[in-house]
Amino acid sequence: MTDAQETAADTSLRTTGGAPPDDVAPAPTPLLEPREGIPPVVASDDALAQVIAAFAAGSGPVAVDAERASGYRYGQRAYLVQLRRDGAGSALIDPVGCPDLSGLGEALSGSEWILHAATQDLPCLREIGMTPTGLFDTELAGRLAGFPRVGLGAMVESVLGYSLEKGHSAVDWSTRPLPDPWLRYAALDVELLIDLRNSLEEELDRQGKLEWAREEFDSIASAPPAPPRKDPWRRTSGMHKVRRRRQMAVVRELWTARDQVARRRDISPGKVLGDAAIVEAALALPPNVQALTALPGFGHRMGRRQLEQWQAAVDRAKALPDTELPQPGQTLAGPPPPRAWADKDPAAAARLSAARAAVSELAERLHMPQENLITPDTVRRVCWEPPKHLTPDAVETALAGYGARRWQIEQVAPLLVRALASAA
């Protein structure tokens, strides 16, 4: 059991009043209830102004969460924003009725925002005018502290001794009006975030990792928005089956046509046409609508007009000159896949093996996932093209160039110097 797990167990025992006798079943974890009941949904400018005033007058950090309609709607916009702060209580805000929350964001500027898995919610919050200047990520804190399960429900239960209601995380949050059970679930997501943050801060401090966590949080808060993904159609599920360039062109045309329809109808692309159907059409290259209809994913309850638009996309790909067909794969900006290293550069493969073993051993000693200690991509890049002179300064400079934080460099650079030297 790790130190963090022992602390979690101790916390749970304190919550339930000590360990039960061996012949007595442990008491069930109490189900969390909203302290002030379910707050009304804020969907007007006047109600929003009251929330802004209340939260501006509150004190301490602000618990923030957002609900999206992934799998139902196009894009990743927020359909509900939940907040809680000492002195202000909880608030549920409807971004459909109040699409501009920049006033709230400004009122909370300078305050610490508490989020769970912050990188998931920050893009949709940024779209409606809410961007934190500083944050505390309870999921990332759990990872750094060595907790084996870092979902919000698992963390609240193991650290605070309460059970969060489950069952509404994957619902269609674009539904209006939102049912009361969903709102109750949403309110509970921020009910104990402040308490969880405080307990995790104490645990990180006890383990000597609090400054590490703060560096990670600062990195997340200051990171710019991710650039648009290049050739997103290449991420179509099942793409590995498509090997010919003409077939790849079919995937690209169908993916683009589907995306246009999904955007126009504000519906998840997967509900317009499945990835499996796109791949089937690419492999078959159907000559007409009748042939397309016979393929899996096209014939069942699909209208003639829809079939014709998909066949038109196939025909456009088939008519492209060879010079306009996509290339077999994306150009890699970094080193090749590790499985190819032994053939391409045996010395680099030896360096990677030694570095991986050293990172794995250190991560185990620090009770944290390897990818949080240092990203696998960073290790691969340093091993593929190591500094000409294997000095600590040179390796530290290389790690910093790949975006490693100061604490990561301090922990990892010495062992990478030894690993790279031993494999030389």
Side-chain angles (χ1 to χ4, degrees), residues 320-389:
L320 286 173
D322 289 350
T323 55
E324 295 182 18
L325 296 178
Q327 294 301 317
Q330 293 173 294
T331 302
L332 294 174
R339 62 179 178 274
W341 286 31
D343 293 330
K344 291 179 176 290
D345 190 338
R351 290 193 294 268
L352 181 62
S353 178
R356 279 176 163 175
V359 169
S360 176
E361 190 274 335
L362 178 58
E364 188 172 343
R365 278 195 286 116
L366 294 175
H367 306 305
M368 70 171 64
Q370 294 181 40
E371 62 269 20
N372 292 114
L373 174 58
I374 191 72
T375 67
D377 181 68
T378 297
V379 175
R380 286 194 296 268
R381 290 173 184 268
V382 171
C383 290
W384 184 252
E385 291 188 70
K388 291 183 179 180
H389 303 288

Side-chain angles (χ1 to χ4, degrees), residues 280-291:
E280 289 288 343
L283 297 176
L285 297 174
N288 50 49
V289 170
Q290 288 73 24

Side-chain angles (χ1 to χ4, degrees), residues 269-315:
K271 289 187 175 297
V272 176
L273 184 67
D275 281 8
I278 290 178
V279 171
E280 289 288 343
L283 297 176
L285 297 174
N288 50 49
V289 170
Q290 288 73 24
L292 181 70
T293 305
L295 296 177
F298 288 96
H300 185 58
R301 292 185 297 178
M302 189 171 286
R304 177 78 184 185
R305 187 174 179 179
Q306 287 178 293
L307 289 166
E308 287 176 348
Q309 75 176 354
W310 303 136
Q311 184 61 45
V314 173
D315 292 341

Side-chain angles (χ1 to χ4, degrees), residues 164-190:
L164 285 179
E165 183 177 313
K166 303 182 179 79
H168 300 303
S169 61
V171 299
D172 181 3
W173 287 96
S174 68
T175 301
R176 293 296 183 273
L178 287 165
D180 282 350
W182 298 13
L183 295 174
R184 179 177 178 277
Y185 166 90
L188 290 174
D189 272 357
V190 293

Side-chain angles (χ1 to χ4, degrees), residues 2 79 191 197 312 354:
T2 66
Y79 282 94
E191 185 78 14
R197 172 235 179 271

